[in-house]
Amino acid sequence: MDPLPEVSRHLASGTERLMANVWPILQTAVAASLAYFLAAVVLGNEQPFFAPVAAVVTLGLAPGERGKRAVEVALGVVVGLAIADVLVRIIGVGAAQIGIVVGLAMAAAVLLGERKLLVNQAAISAILVVALQPPDAAFSPDRFFNALVGGGVALLVSHLFPVNPERLVERAAEPIFRSLVAVLEEIAEALEERDLEQAEAVLGRARELDDRVRSFDEVLSAGYETARLSPTRRRSLKHLELYAGASIRIELAVINTRVLARGAANAIRRRAAVPPSVPEAVLDLSRAVRALAGYLEASEEAEEAREAEEARRFALLAARGATEALAERHDLAISVLVGQVCSMAVDLLRSAGMNQAEALAALEEVAPRESDDP
């Protein structure tokens, strides 16, 4: 097996991640530098390391819940410092002492709340005290003020110079749509070629989409927070509402695609005679997904309306084509495939602006349910 394509794929993926995170990295670097400057020069602290640490932890690479993270960092520092300062005076410093201090600091933090960041920050603060503070040193509140400075600077930088929430969400959604299109195209190809190996491989790739959907939901929440809290980004809220409205439908489309991939593998394994209209219907689903991505990314109303119409047109074509297959064969394997295509078509129709009643009515018009027949 040639390793070069795999290496190239990893490099391309890494470059893509780097480009997506350039602004958060710059935000964090600036906040750390400014926090250190304020703590060291303005406040005159001799060991201002808690300020840049608090800034970095508060910002991180994920912009969601930064206000809560700033509070947790400050509270964790208070707990860790209080426990460590008292115990260092009693038991001194050393390897065993670090274990004791960390355990008690984490226990105290857990009593206040189970938030992971709070507990971890208490432990880190306690370690730094034991490792850096002489046993006979007097208690100093400087570290707590440094943490407040770092958290405050981080929030100020994120609000004054926020990431573009629309770009943030679009970059998280783009690989989902790209992968969803690719998976649907491969399902269609596997059905057409009756290739069981390909069908089983694409089922594995379909399962990987779940993690991307979870990441997208987190980024969407972070984008909303950024748009709400930053005066310069509030106009993004309207566009983010499109993604929010489509979010649950995208998740259902991913689930339906996974079930469709499993149904395709089962149909091929059972040597079912799949009518040609079924793989063509799956290809129409992939075209609908591609148009849906264009609808969500559109910056102008005319483009948005055009892409939404395309998404609805291909979704209905998929439902019609799949339903036509039932006229040729009506066994269990084909019925499962048709059902999943129609179910996904409804989700895509709703993602493209229809409500539930409109989507079902449109589907019924192009693909009447045979179950209604006597």
Side-chain angles (χ1 to χ4, degrees), residues 1-19 208 212:
M1 178 179 176
D2 187 358
L4 288 180
E6 190 69 22
V7 172
S8 299
R9 200 157 40 243
H10 279 297
L11 287 175
S13 177
T15 302
E16 183 180 318
R17 287 194 303 272
L18 178 60
M19 295 303 296
E208 295 171 0
R212 290 190 172 183

Side-chain angles (χ1 to χ4, degrees), residues 32-371:
S33 177
L34 183 57
Y36 185 91
F37 173 81
L38 290 175
V41 178
V42 178
L43 297 181
N45 295 334
E46 295 182 0
Q47 293 184 319
F49 50 81
F50 270 109
V53 168
V56 170
V57 172
T58 300
L59 284 173
L61 287 180
E65 297 188 334
R66 283 175 170 173
K68 290 182 180 179
R69 286 210 296 267
V71 172
E72 289 172 19
V73 169
L75 188 56
V77 168
V78 171
V79 172
L81 293 181
I83 297 291
D85 270 313
V86 171
L87 289 179
V88 163
R89 293 174 173 277
I90 298 173
I91 63 177
V93 298
Q97 287 88 333
I98 281 184
I100 295 171
V101 169
V102 167
L104 290 175
M106 293 180 73
V110 168
L111 288 175
L112 294 175
E114 289 186 285
R115 296 280 291 190
K116 188 175 181 180
L117 180 57
L118 166 64
V119 177
N120 287 347
Q121 192 59 43
I124 292 169
S125 301
I127 291 171
L128 291 174
V129 170
V130 176
L132 300 177
Q133 176 175 294
D136 57 348
F139 172 79
S140 171
D142 287 348
R143 289 181 292 268
F144 171 62
F145 291 124
N146 289 340
L148 291 180
V149 167
V153 167
L155 294 178
L156 182 65
V157 168
S158 68
H159 290 159
L160 293 181
F161 308 101
V163 296
N164 185 330
E166 294 178 57
R167 292 281 299 279
L168 192 74
V169 172
E170 285 174 4
R171 282 174 171 165
E174 193 273 335
I176 296 177
F177 288 120
R178 187 176 64 239
S179 299
L180 199 52
V181 168
V183 166
L184 288 167
E185 289 175 343
E186 289 189 57
I187 292 173
E189 183 179 347
L191 284 170
E192 190 171 4
E193 301 295 330
R194 300 183 182 182
D195 188 334
L196 180 57
E197 184 177 348
Q198 181 179 11
E200 291 177 340
V202 75
L203 176 57
R205 284 191 285 278
R207 288 171 177 150
E208 295 171 0
L209 287 170
D210 290 338
D211 290 336
R212 290 190 172 183
V213 170
R214 281 191 289 271
S215 297
F216 169 74
D217 290 339
E218 292 171 2
V219 171
L220 180 60
S221 175
Y224 258 115
E225 180 189 5
T226 301
R228 281 197 309 268
L229 298 180
S230 176
T232 61
R233 295 298 184 186
R234 289 210 180 113
R235 64 182 181 275
S236 298
L237 283 172
K238 183 178 179 181
H239 193 190
L240 293 179
E241 286 174 2
L242 289 178
Y243 280 98
S247 176
I248 184 63
R249 310 266 77 83
I250 292 171
E251 184 174 353
L252 290 174
V254 167
I255 294 172
N256 282 327
T257 299
R258 186 172 63 246
V259 178
L260 183 61
R262 186 182 301 115
N266 288 337
I268 296 170
R269 190 178 296 112
R270 294 172 182 173
R271 302 182 185 276
V274 179
S277 60
V278 174
E280 184 60 34
V282 177
L283 280 178
D284 281 331
L285 285 180
S286 73
R287 295 170 185 131
V289 170
R290 189 179 286 112
L292 177 62
Y295 161 66
L296 294 174
E297 294 172 4
S299 56
E300 298 179 0
E301 288 188 10
E303 182 186 4
E304 183 180 300
R306 184 172 61 253
E307 294 290 354
E309 180 58 33
E310 280 291 279
R312 292 192 288 265
R313 183 171 72 87
F314 281 121
L316 292 173
L317 281 175
R320 175 186 294 160
T323 305
E324 288 174 355
L326 293 177
E328 298 182 42
R329 291 186 63 84
H330 208 154
D331 57 25
L332 178 60
I334 304 304
S335 295
V336 168
L337 293 174
V338 171
Q340 290 308 128
V341 169
C342 291
S343 179
M344 187 169 176
V346 170
D347 291 330
L348 293 173
L349 290 172
R350 294 198 61 188
S351 296
M354 287 186 170
N355 60 35
Q356 180 76 3
E358 291 170 338
L360 291 176
L363 186 73
E364 183 67 21
E365 185 176 342
V366 300
R369 291 173 294 176
E370 292 199 2
S371 58

